[in-house]
Amino acid sequence: QFNAHWRNEELRASWGLKPGELAVIHVGRIAPEKNMPLAVKAFRALQEKRPDAKFIMVGDGPQRTSVQSENPDFIFAGMRRGDDLAQHYASADIFCFPSLSETFGNVTLEAMASGLPVCAFDYGAAREHCKDGVHGRTVGFSDEQAFVKAFVELATHTDLKKMGMLANESVQTCILKPPEWAPLTCSLLADAADAAGLPPGVFNVVQGSGAKAGAALVGDPRIARVSFTGSVPYSIAMPVYRACGHSS
């Protein structure tokens, strides 16, 4: 889903960008745990060298009103999903991610897959997949001064496009396609049922909120049901269903 091919010049123009100008993007909740003050601080430092830069914030949350009122020049795109979200990622130039609260940080991989160099703290997905100086910049956990410095250095790098291409390539080698990860998912679910000491046929997993739900897992009697509800794409749900022996 996430790829540099989604880049949209009309969308960039709607952000007020002219050709060659810089778009920084943040995707996620606009909330205290995402360390929004550092994102703002890093961008303001960048503006001293790149006054043409724009900051695009995708997402919503309890701090949106305050962040928006304090930074009226930022572009707040709200919640985006599917192809629309993919376009927003790919139409930016750098991904700024100062969060200190992630268990992994899937948005880092989504940004890299979209061809964006990343600036993040060195943990979670960034530690595993973002090589400092090659795919973007990573700095020591919670070192805010180093983050700002690295972000400005990254944003003024002479070859952001090449770094973005390398980021995309590195992520492609680590992303499991549905036929590969669906059987693994089912195996993990079964193992989790065993570890929890659940009797056969009572283990439930729910992800997301809203699409076609339910699938009796014929392939393993330890699992009764996997429910995908919400904005879970057909391409994701069906391989899991089929790997578990369910045909629809």
Side-chain angles (χ1 to χ4, degrees), residues 85-172:
L85 175 58
Q87 283 194 8
H88 277 68
Y89 270 121
S91 299
D93 300 298
I94 301 172
F95 184 63
C96 178
F97 195 58
S99 175
L100 291 166
S101 63
E102 307 302 307
T103 52
F104 183 68
N106 286 330
V107 289
T108 299
L109 297 187
E110 293 171 357
M112 293 175 70
S114 302
L116 301 185
V118 168
C119 187
F121 287 113
D122 185 23
Y123 78 109
R127 170 170 290 182
E128 291 189 27
H129 302 291
C130 182
K131 185 175 181 180
D132 185 43
V134 178
H135 309 127
R137 292 299 310 273
T138 59
V139 300
F141 188 77
S142 80
D143 189 338
E144 295 195 357
Q145 185 175 353
F147 185 95
V148 172
K149 183 174 183 290
F151 176 73
V152 173
E153 290 174 350
L154 174 62
T156 53
H157 194 280
T158 56
D159 204 349
L160 282 175
K161 187 174 182 180
K162 181 178 179 180
M163 295 182 81
M165 289 174 61
L166 292 173
N168 170 273
E169 291 171 4
S170 72
V171 172
Q172 298 307 316

Side-chain angles (χ1 to χ4, degrees), residues 21-38:
E21 293 185 337
L22 188 72
V24 176
I25 195 167
H26 176 276
V27 177
R29 273 172 54 80
I30 304 176
E33 68 271 15
K34 298 300 183 181
N35 206 6
M36 302 312 300
L38 182 55

Side-chain angles (χ1 to χ4, degrees), residues 21 28 43-44 49 55 62 71 83-85 89 96 101 112-113 115 129 161 163 177 180 197 207 221 230 239 242:
E21 293 185 337
F43 182 75
R44 294 306 182 198
K49 295 190 175 184
F55 202 160
N71 302 278
D83 295 350
D84 191 18
L85 175 58
Y89 270 121
C96 178
S101 63
M112 293 175 70
H129 302 291
K161 187 174 182 180
M163 295 182 81
K177 307 304 181 188
E180 299 169 316
Q207 176 176 329
R242 291 185 181 125

